[in-house]
Amino acid sequence: MKRKTLISALSAVALVTSAGLAHAENKGEVEVLHWWTSGGEAKSAAVLKVMLEQQGYGWKDFAVAGGGGESAMTVLKTRAVSGNPPAAAQIKGHDIQEWADLGFLTTLDDTASSENWEKVLPKVVTNVMKYEGNYVAVPVNVHRVNWLWANPAVFEKAGAKVPTTWDEFIAAAEKIKAAGYIPLAHGGQAWQDATVFEAVALETMGTELYLKAFKQHDPDALGSPEMVKTFEKFRQLKQYIDKDSPGRDWNIATNMVIEGKAAMQIMGDWAKGEFAAAGKTPGVDYICAPAPGTAGMFTFNIDSFAFFKLNDANDAAAQKTLAKTILSPKFQEVFNLNKGSIPVRLDQDMSPFDQCALDSMATFKSANKSGDLVPSWSHGLATTSQIQGAIYDVVTNYFNDDKVTADATVDKLVRAVKAAM
């Protein structure tokens, strides 16, 4: 199904052609497709370009705007089908394996070996970067998705405390609502609904059942009593979200917390960039804490680049240098300081990072050992885009229709996932 879907998508754009690459006057050149087009991400791309050029290789920027990467993927399919793919493209999760399965990607095993990737990267990350045991992609960072962002001033005014459990969350939300503030800032978009639902599922189901449901797609796990309870808890949140939520972008919701209009937001660590841009200090102006009931657990999302087969030997050499540079400690520091995420290297010097990042890295390492480091399905790491989309539909339809029961929705979830496999 996955192979057919991608082949179909590629065929749809097969008639579109693009111009060939022009070589720079250097040892080789890489063309890099990405959607780092704003803020700290654009700065990071510029740093990577300079680092590559300092090693004698050229960088041809192939930036396609669009935060989710949909436009970039459309362009990539056009280029790949015309026999003119870029050297590297920003691709993540199961899409990496789909491109590799179609024969487009090259192996990076020699670079991985010389750079000791197996020693400095956690296995749950390297598994995503490999196809049939061979490295075909490079991770750039790690995002923790199960974060709770809180405004301590609002909590103080409401006489509430930042929650660590689900019951504490409900108690705090009631006090905050009574004090005239919005308890939970949220944007009514499918992926944001899924992000919050995922945090509730992790708390209710635990990591083992979470993985059985969202990674292994076990029907018993998907249809379990714990899943029913997850949906019931998820719906409880509606009473703590304001009526203007539908269609709101995530960063607007974050700014509601920054400005003291709302007390909390459940969102990945990219939200930290909004607090930083507003000149806020963690632990003083805002609090970063695990989503209620998920302390010690870590749902991860990874930005990564997949590497395409090239014919020119000099460009292939530049490509391998790019792969090495992305995982260099220097670039890992620069990029993740800008992005709000944490380095993917377990041996990274974390002294330049703030307390939120330090807490995130500590949990990343401990969860890697305990088995509580799990891929985020809501952000495309645990499953395919087809299954992700099917779950999105079930979750957001339930959240927006109070007439539908949790039991009926769980039955629908089991069928929807099966149909998308």
Side-chain angles (χ1 to χ4, degrees):
M1 175 67 73
K2 292 186 295 183
R3 183 183 178 90
K4 288 180 180 178
T5 300
L6 188 49
I7 289 174
S8 176
L10 291 168
S11 299
V13 294
L15 296 178
V16 185
T17 59
S18 55
L21 300 178
H23 281 264
E25 294 296 328
N26 47 43
K27 295 190 294 185
E29 181 182 72
V30 288
E31 185 179 25
V32 184
L33 172 63
H34 63 89
W35 54 90
W36 293 342
T37 56
S38 63
E41 292 177 332
K43 292 179 182 177
S44 297
V47 170
L48 186 57
K49 176 178 183 287
V50 170
M51 290 177 70
L52 195 68
E53 289 173 344
Q54 288 173 343
Q55 298 174 78
Y57 296 101
W59 167 291
K60 185 175 183 181
D61 203 52
F62 188 5
V64 180
E70 293 85 358
S71 297
M73 290 304 96
T74 299
V75 175
L76 177 61
K77 290 164 188 174
T78 302
R79 290 285 302 273
V81 136
S82 67
N84 183 28
Q90 194 176 344
I91 305 174
K92 68 178 184 179
H94 283 256
D95 288 347
I96 294 171
Q97 280 71 43
E98 291 189 17
W99 281 101
D101 190 49
L102 289 168
F104 283 102
L105 303 186
T106 188
T107 178
L108 302 168
D109 286 348
D110 52 349
T111 304
S113 178
S114 64
E115 295 297 308
N116 294 313
W117 289 355
E118 290 292 300
K119 292 183 178 179
V120 301
L121 301 177
K123 187 175 181 180
V124 335
V125 173
T126 61
N127 286 344
V128 180
M129 302 299 119
K130 293 178 180 179
Y131 174 72
E132 296 184 344
N134 301 310
Y135 280 96
V136 293
V138 178
V140 183
N141 64 340
V142 175
H143 282 295
R144 187 182 188 183
V145 181
N146 59 313
W147 274 119
L148 177 76
W149 306 93
N151 186 315
V154 175
F155 273 85
E156 184 177 354
K157 291 173 183 175
K161 66 175 184 177
V162 177
T164 60
T165 67
W166 180 259
D167 288 341
E168 288 179 3
F169 178 89
I170 298 299
E174 288 290 345
K175 288 185 177 181
I176 292 163
K177 188 175 181 180
Y181 297 94
I182 299 167
L184 185 65
H186 182 64
Q189 297 172 340
W191 75 268
Q192 292 188 63
D193 292 342
T195 299
V196 175
F197 179 85
E198 178 178 86
V200 177
L202 187 64
E203 182 270 342
T204 306
M205 304 175 74
T207 53
E208 184 177 353
L209 194 58
Y210 171 99
L211 288 170
K212 285 183 179 178
F214 298 114
K215 183 174 174 62
Q216 300 168 19
H217 311 310
D218 177 78
D220 291 335
L222 287 166
S224 66
E226 290 84 356
M227 187 67 79
V228 174
K229 191 175 181 181
T230 297
F231 274 98
E232 290 173 342
K233 286 183 175 181
F234 179 54
R235 179 170 280 168
Q236 280 185 273
L237 297 177
K238 285 189 70 174
Q239 61 190 307
Y240 305 120
I241 296 170
D242 66 294
K243 62 180 178 59
D244 296 324
S245 172
R248 177 187 290 142
D249 289 335
W250 70 269
N251 55 313
I252 303 301
T254 304
N255 275 283
M256 291 168 62
V257 179
I258 293 172
E259 295 168 3
K261 295 177 180 177
M264 298 175 280
Q265 181 186 26
I266 295 173
M267 185 54 63
D269 54 20
W270 47 90
K272 189 174 67 172
E274 297 299 306
F275 287 96
K280 303 301 181 181
T281 303
V284 178
D285 303 307
Y286 68 96
I287 294 170
C288 51
T294 68
M297 304 178 192
F298 194 115
T299 44
F300 68 87
N301 180 27
I302 304 172
D303 289 318
S304 54
F305 282 96
F307 285 70
F308 286 73
K309 291 178 180 177
L310 301 177
N311 295 322
D312 186 273
N314 290 333
D315 291 350
Q319 186 182 50
K320 293 183 184 299
T321 301
L322 173 64
K324 180 179 70 174
T325 305
I326 287 172
L327 274 175
S328 67
K330 180 180 178 182
F331 181 70
Q332 285 285 302
E333 176 182 318
V334 170
F335 178 83
N336 289 289
L337 284 173
N338 285 329
K339 190 75 157 58
S341 47
I342 59 171
V344 71
R345 295 180 65 109
L346 295 171
D347 63 345
Q348 184 77 26
D349 175 17
M350 293 296 291
S351 59
F353 290 82
D354 64 26
Q355 192 58 50
C356 293
L358 294 176
D359 292 347
S360 188
M361 178 60 87
T363 306
F364 179 56
K365 291 180 177 179
S366 64
N368 183 48
K369 292 179 180 178
S370 67
D372 291 316
L373 182 61
V374 298
S376 166
W377 67 263
S378 68
H379 292 270
L381 266 292
T383 190
T384 66
S385 56
Q386 291 89 353
I387 294 176
Q388 179 195 45
I391 302 175
Y392 270 20
D393 289 343
V394 173
V395 167
T396 203
N397 288 339
Y398 170 81
F399 199 56
N400 290 291
D401 187 354
D402 293 336
K403 296 178 182 179
V404 181
T405 67
D407 286 296
T409 300
V410 167
D411 289 339
K412 185 177 180 180
L413 177 68
V414 174
R415 295 195 303 270
V417 171
K418 183 178 180 181
M421 291 177 69

